[in-house]
Amino acid sequence: MNITEGNLYEMNNVLSYRRKLTELEMKIAIKDMQTFIEKIGAKPTGPVVRASFQMTNGVADVELMIPIDRVPTVFGNYDFKPVFRLKNALRLEYNGNYSDYPDAVKQLSDYMLNNKLIPTTVGYTIEKNMSDKSVKKMYYADTYVGISENIL
């Protein structure tokens, strides 16, 4: 695990989907997005980015984003963002067991608290391996949180 400050994360031509979903519904939504991207003749230019805004009883208010290689002419059930840019972000680089990832996120929160950093966004997680997340498998992900430049 590694935490760095002052990072930029940027994507162009982003297909976005925000809903309240369970973990299973989220997996289905990602597959549906990937199918839609193929259907419109586009290709992903980066991994799926996930942002969770709130979690209640196993249901997350989540935004799923996938950058694609063109501006679509149809959007279906999705929103389109020409540019997604997250500036002055903390970056949590995580390589470890999937079951230990929540502890790493807690350490990121502690880092912000200890360094008096004020978050301006939720965490945006980019999973580098989305296949099997069993306890024995390694999990690789980056999580970015926008930080205020204000000194209060």
Side-chain angles (χ1 to χ4, degrees):
M1 182 188 88
N2 188 35
I3 297 172
T4 57
E5 295 183 23
N7 295 281
L8 170 70
Y9 189 77
E10 188 170 68
M11 301 180 288
N12 295 311
N13 300 328
V14 180
L15 206 59
S16 170
Y17 183 75
R18 184 167 176 185
R19 298 285 188 283
K20 292 184 179 178
L21 304 169
T22 65
E23 185 73 29
L24 176 61
E25 291 169 333
M26 196 178 325
K27 289 177 184 177
I28 293 167
I30 290 169
K31 286 186 190 295
D32 289 348
M33 286 179 81
Q34 292 166 333
T35 300
F36 179 79
I37 289 167
E38 286 177 25
K39 187 176 179 181
I40 63 171
K43 291 185 176 24
T45 59
V48 175
V49 176
R50 178 179 39 86
S52 294
F53 295 87
Q54 184 178 11
M55 181 78 128
T56 308
N57 299 326
V59 177
D61 177 2
V62 67
E63 181 177 19
L64 304 169
M65 296 181 285
I66 302 176
I68 58 177
D69 64 349
R70 67 189 69 185
V71 176
T73 55
V74 293
F75 302 106
N77 295 325
Y78 306 103
D79 292 321
F80 179 74
K81 299 179 181 188
V83 176
F84 172 88
R85 182 179 301 124
L86 186 57
K87 294 170 74 173
N88 195 45
L90 286 182
R91 176 184 178 198
L92 166 66
E93 221 176 337
Y94 182 77
N95 301 314
N97 288 333
Y98 181 70
S99 61
D100 295 333
Y101 178 69
D103 293 334
V105 172
K106 169 83 170 78
Q107 288 180 37
L108 179 63
S109 291
D110 290 346
Y111 182 92
M112 288 186 279
L113 186 64
N114 293 337
N115 291 284
K116 298 182 175 148
L117 301 174
I118 302 166
T120 58
T121 70
V122 297
Y124 289 86
T125 301
I126 300 96
E127 295 180 335
K128 298 176 186 176
N129 65 328
M130 292 190 58
S131 55
D132 184 8
K133 295 180 190 163
S134 66
V135 175
K136 295 178 184 174
K137 297 289 182 180
M138 291 298 287
Y139 179 64
Y140 305 98
D142 290 340
T143 298
Y144 291 84
V145 177
I147 299 297
S148 173
E149 294 180 347
N150 296 318
I151 300 172
L152 306 175

